[in-house]
Amino acid sequence: MSLSAWSLFCALSLITAFSPGPAVLLAVSNAATLGMRRALVSSAGNAAGVVLVSATAMLGLGALLKTSAWLFGALKLAGAVYLIYLGIRQWRNRTSVFDAASHAVGARAQPIARLFLQGLLVATTNPKSILFFTALLPQFMSSEVPVMRQFLVLTLTFAACTVISHLCYVGLVRGMGRWFASSARARLFNRLSGAMFVVLGVGLLRLRNNHAA
């Protein structure tokens, strides 16, 4: 892959990664309620999910997803249900974000493995992301270079862009800690982010597969 092609892929990856979506919202809500370190655990899970999604596309399952209506529907339903579940849980959270006691409670209630799995599930249960990789990766791959090498370069580049975007969003939330100190503002944030999760879940349910028979 030429440097110019890789630079273009980086630019597209950064634009996609910085676009607000379920993964970004999860990182922001975890940063506000659990702190920066724990938010990055879910971001690491999301990056791992990106690798799995990319591998899925490379194995040809992305093409199968395009043509199989029931597989597309099942994955879409799973992703939507999980996002709506996250939204309801966030809406019902009444703790004050950035409160020391709340940090301690939140840390015990959210084990590292569970946070990692959150990010992983958000990345892998969205059929739109699999279709995205199916359409994007072939545009930057060459028949003259080993497939595995290209897969690793492109996938790790996109995963790195994802982590960078989450770091920026998490840092922004961290810098607004004083604004969130009020319990009323904390509840407002929880309800807004919870509602956004639900909206994203409903939006995923409305996603149509124009290629499926």
Side-chain angles (χ1 to χ4, degrees), residues 23-64:
V24 168
L25 183 56
L26 181 64
V28 169
S29 62
N30 281 342
T33 55
L34 300 174
M36 183 172 183
R37 291 184 180 180
R38 299 229 160 207
L40 293 180
V41 172
S42 65
S43 296
N46 187 261
V50 165
V51 175
L52 289 178
V53 168
S54 179
T56 297
M58 289 292 294
L59 289 172
L61 293 181
L64 177 61

Side-chain angles (χ1 to χ4, degrees), residues 33-160:
T33 55
L34 300 174
M36 183 172 183
R37 291 184 180 180
R38 299 229 160 207
L40 293 180
V41 172
S42 65
S43 296
N46 187 261
V50 165
V51 175
L52 289 178
V53 168
S54 179
T56 297
M58 289 292 294
L59 289 172
L61 293 181
L64 177 61
L65 192 65
K66 281 185 176 182
T67 58
S68 175
W70 73 266
L71 181 60
F72 181 87
L75 190 58
K76 179 176 71 172
L77 180 61
V81 168
Y82 187 63
L83 288 175
I84 292 172
Y85 159 74
L86 289 177
I88 294 173
R89 192 187 65 179
Q90 184 74 9
W91 179 281
R92 297 176 64 184
N93 184 12
R94 302 187 177 214
T95 60
S96 175
V97 298
F98 293 107
D99 179 77
S102 297
H103 275 277
V105 173
R108 287 195 297 269
Q110 295 286 335
I112 294 292
R114 182 175 179 180
L115 291 171
F116 186 88
L117 185 60
Q118 276 185 350
L120 185 70
L121 287 174
V122 166
T124 56
T125 57
N126 189 344
K128 190 174 181 179
S129 60
I130 298 179
L131 295 176
F132 170 79
F133 273 103
T134 302
L136 183 66
L137 290 185
Q139 309 300 322
F140 292 89
M141 299 188 71
S142 170
S143 58
E144 300 177 357
V145 182
V147 173
M148 184 55 65
R149 185 190 306 172
Q150 297 181 82
F151 163 76
L152 290 174
V153 170
L154 293 173
T155 302
L156 293 179
T157 297
F158 190 90

